[in-house]
Amino acid sequence: MQARFGLVPMPPVFQVTDRAAGDGCPRLRIYRPHGRASAPVLVFFHGGGFVAGDIDTHDALCRALCNGAGAIVVSVDYALAPEHPFPTGLEDCIAAIRWVREHAGEFGGDPDRVALSGDSAGANLAIVSAIRLKRTEGHRFRAILAVYPVTDAPDRARGSYAERGTGFGLTAQAMIWFMDHYVGDAERATDPDVAPLRSTELSGLPPTYVITAEFDPLRDEGIAFAGKLADTGVDVVHAHKEDANHGFLSWAGADEPSKAGLDPACAWLRERLL
C-alpha cells in the first residue's frame, strides 16, 4: 500500500473514479468495492469546518469505508466558505444526494439502499441533508453515520469546550472561527439547518450511528445529539471513544484507535445496507 504524505496508508479498492456530475451537482469521487454487481451507496461529506478539506484529504477514510461497509462510497466536493457561505455547501450536498438517487445504476449502485455519512462539519451536512430531504421530498435513507459531528453553535460555556478546547488538536477558538466564516452571523449559527441539535424534526430519521471522542470540544454536543435522537424514537447507536481526539478516524484504521472506531461502524453499516 502507498502512503499519502508518508502518513496514512491508502487501502486498495476495486475502482476509483472522479466525476464532474454537472447539472448543479458538485464534483464527486466514486469508490467501488470488489465483487458487488449492485452495491449499496454511502454518500460521504468531508470535514474541515465548512471552510477546508476536500475529496483528497479524506481519500483514505473513504477507501476504508468502501472496503469495510462493502458499499460504493460517493465523496462530495461541496463548495466551501467563506467564498461560498451557508447554505451553498448544504445545497451542494443535497444536489449530490439527488444525483446519486437518479444515477446510481450508472455506476453499479442500488438507489434503494443509500446511506449518508460525514465527519465533523461533513457529519453536520449529512444530518441536515437528511432532515431537509425528509421534510421537502419524503426521502428516506437506510442509515446515517455521523463521526464527531458539529450539531450546535460554538459555546465556550459548554463543558467540552472548556475542558477540551485547547491542547488536543481542534480548538474552541477554531470552531468559533469556522462557524463565523460559514454563517457570517452569530444568530444564524443557531438555525436548525446549521445546528441540528436544535431541530424539532429529528423524528423519523433513519438509524444513526454517532461517534464522539473524549478529547474533542465537540464531545458534549455529539453526546447530546445522540441522546435527543433516542428521545425522539430514532434507532441510535452512540460509540464514545475515551482515548481519542477529534479527527482520529482520519487514520482510516491504520492505527489502533481508528481501527477500533472504524470496524464496528462499518459492521453496523453493512447490516443496515443489506
Side-chain angles (χ1 to χ4, degrees):
M1 294 186 296
Q2 293 181 335
R4 185 170 185 268
F5 305 136
L7 293 174
V8 184
M10 292 289 101
V13 298
F14 174 66
Q15 185 182 62
V16 181
T17 306
D18 283 3
R19 185 157 187 167
D23 297 325
C25 181
R27 186 168 68 107
L28 308 172
R29 179 168 292 168
I30 302 173
Y31 303 80
R32 291 186 61 195
H34 291 270
R36 301 298 294 270
S38 180
V41 183
L42 179 67
V43 186
F44 182 86
F45 308 110
H46 66 79
F50 308 101
V51 305
D54 56 29
I55 58 179
D56 290 324
T57 61
H58 286 64
D59 186 59
L61 179 54
C62 286
R63 289 167 176 265
L65 287 168
C66 175
N67 289 332
I72 294 171
V73 174
V74 178
S75 183
V76 180
D77 200 22
Y78 58 89
L80 299 175
E83 293 82 1
H84 304 284
F86 172 82
T88 307
L90 174 61
E91 296 295 346
D92 273 358
C93 294
I94 290 171
I97 294 167
R98 289 181 178 133
W99 186 90
V100 165
R101 283 201 179 275
E102 293 172 6
H103 298 275
E106 297 174 12
F107 53 85
D110 183 348
D112 294 323
R113 292 186 292 159
V114 176
L116 307 181
S117 181
D119 69 319
S120 193
N124 172 288
L125 293 167
I127 293 162
V128 175
S129 293
I131 294 169
R132 284 271 299 269
L133 286 168
K134 177 174 69 75
R135 178 202 311 155
T136 60
E137 301 174 27
H139 279 347
R140 301 285 180 171
F141 301 95
R142 287 293 185 92
I144 299 173
L145 171 60
V147 182
Y148 26 83
V150 177
T151 66
D152 202 5
D155 182 359
R156 287 189 182 275
R158 184 175 287 123
S160 56
Y161 265 69
E163 297 165 17
R164 310 303 191 196
T166 57
F168 301 102
L170 178 66
T171 66
Q173 184 57 45
M175 278 307 307
I176 293 168
W177 186 87
F178 287 144
M179 190 62 75
D180 180 62
H181 282 71
Y182 182 48
V183 299
D185 182 338
E187 290 187 7
R188 204 167 192 185
T190 61
D191 183 321
D193 277 356
V194 176
L197 181 60
R198 300 171 186 254
S199 176
T200 60
E201 301 179 84
L202 300 181
S203 178
L205 285 180
T208 301
Y209 194 108
V210 179
I211 297 176
T212 55
E214 177 61 31
F215 300 99
D216 181 0
L218 303 184
R219 178 195 68 195
D220 289 357
E221 65 195 77
I223 293 171
F225 183 71
K228 188 170 181 180
L229 287 177
D231 290 343
T232 58
V234 174
D235 178 5
V236 61
V237 174
H238 174 214
H240 182 65
K241 302 305 175 186
E242 296 282 356
D243 60 347
N245 62 348
H246 189 86
F248 77 98
L249 276 195
S250 297
W251 286 90
D255 66 356
E256 189 54 38
S258 64
K259 181 175 174 58
L262 191 62
D263 286 355
C266 285
W268 180 87
L269 276 172
R270 277 185 177 270
E271 291 182 4
R272 297 305 178 281
L273 290 169
L274 288 175

